[in-house]
Amino acid sequence: CWQKVVAGRDHTLALKLDGTIWAWGSNFNGQLGVASSEESIESPAQIGTSNDWKDISAGGDNSFAIKTDGTLWAWGSNQFGQIGDGLTGLGNNSRSPKKVGTATDWKSISAGSTYTMAIKTDGSLWAWGSNLFGQLGFPGSVFVPTRVGAATDWKKVSTSVQHTVAIKNDGSLWGWGSNSYFQL
């Protein structure tokens, strides 16, 4: 009954075929998004009651999901602005899913350790959070979803700790950020 599972640093999210999201593991920063103040949960717990989720991604200490209506939701650590709500700092963590902006055209999401990348249905690429290593694809850190360049042919994006890799519709592979271990 599971359709997708993703692992964060110390937590796991899973999307069931019925459109519900389940989480377990560390909840220190609220990254499980469940109604519990416990620091960890041993077995899968459902996040809320919604059954209209279509995609999930787990970052370092945060989580993201996209609903079938194309809206983007985030919860967990926001120390580096990686939730995308314009705020930063540990005091701005979210223990339950909160809607990111008003856009209804999100296609896919990839949560990194301290930053996030996403693709919209028009093929445009978006980024937010820490940019210490240039992993956002433009200068400086930003705390709300910000478009990366003008291209509209992005197919897939994957984030890490210090670098990002992506594939365009023509099959070409792109990378940016830290190259200290030749990861690009």
Side-chain angles (χ1 to χ4, degrees):
C1 66
W2 302 100
Q3 64 175 304
K4 185 173 184 176
V5 64
V6 293
R9 180 184 3 239
D10 296 320
H11 71 292
T12 304
L13 296 178
L15 179 61
K16 281 191 168 185
L17 291 171
D18 67 3
T20 59
I21 300 177
W22 297 71
W24 60 96
S26 172
N27 195 36
F28 187 74
N29 289 300
Q31 62 265 46
L32 298 185
V34 297
S36 172
S37 60
E38 294 181 47
E39 287 190 15
S40 63
I41 296 177
E42 295 178 11
S43 57
Q46 185 174 346
I47 299 174
T49 59
S50 294
N51 63 353
D52 57 348
W53 300 105
K54 73 172 184 176
D55 195 18
I56 54 175
S57 183
D61 292 324
N62 56 17
S63 303
F64 291 85
I66 298 174
K67 286 193 170 191
T68 55
D69 66 3
T71 57
L72 177 62
W73 298 73
W75 58 97
S77 175
N78 200 26
Q79 183 176 1
F80 302 99
Q82 64 267 47
I83 285 182
D85 62 0
L87 304 173
T88 63
L90 290 175
N92 293 303
N93 293 353
S94 178
R95 296 193 79 76
S96 61
K98 66 189 294 188
K99 191 174 175 184
V100 179
T102 60
T104 59
D105 56 349
W106 295 105
K107 177 183 173 187
S108 63
I109 184 88
S110 182
S113 181
T114 59
Y115 71 106
T116 309
M117 304 289 292
I119 298 175
K120 287 193 172 186
T121 55
D122 67 358
S124 59
L125 183 63
W126 297 72
W128 59 95
S130 173
N131 198 24
L132 188 59
F133 302 95
Q135 66 267 37
L136 297 185
F138 49 72
S141 297
V142 295
F143 310 117
V144 295
T146 303
R147 189 165 177 172
V148 179
T152 57
D153 57 347
W154 295 103
K155 180 178 182 179
K156 192 88 170 158
V157 65
S158 183
T159 56
S160 181
V161 177
Q162 301 175 354
H163 74 288
T164 302
V165 290
I167 298 173
K168 286 194 170 189
N169 289 332
D170 66 4
S172 60
L173 180 63
W174 297 72
W176 54 94
S178 174
N179 197 30
S180 57
Y181 295 99
F182 309 106
Q183 61 267 45
L184 300 181

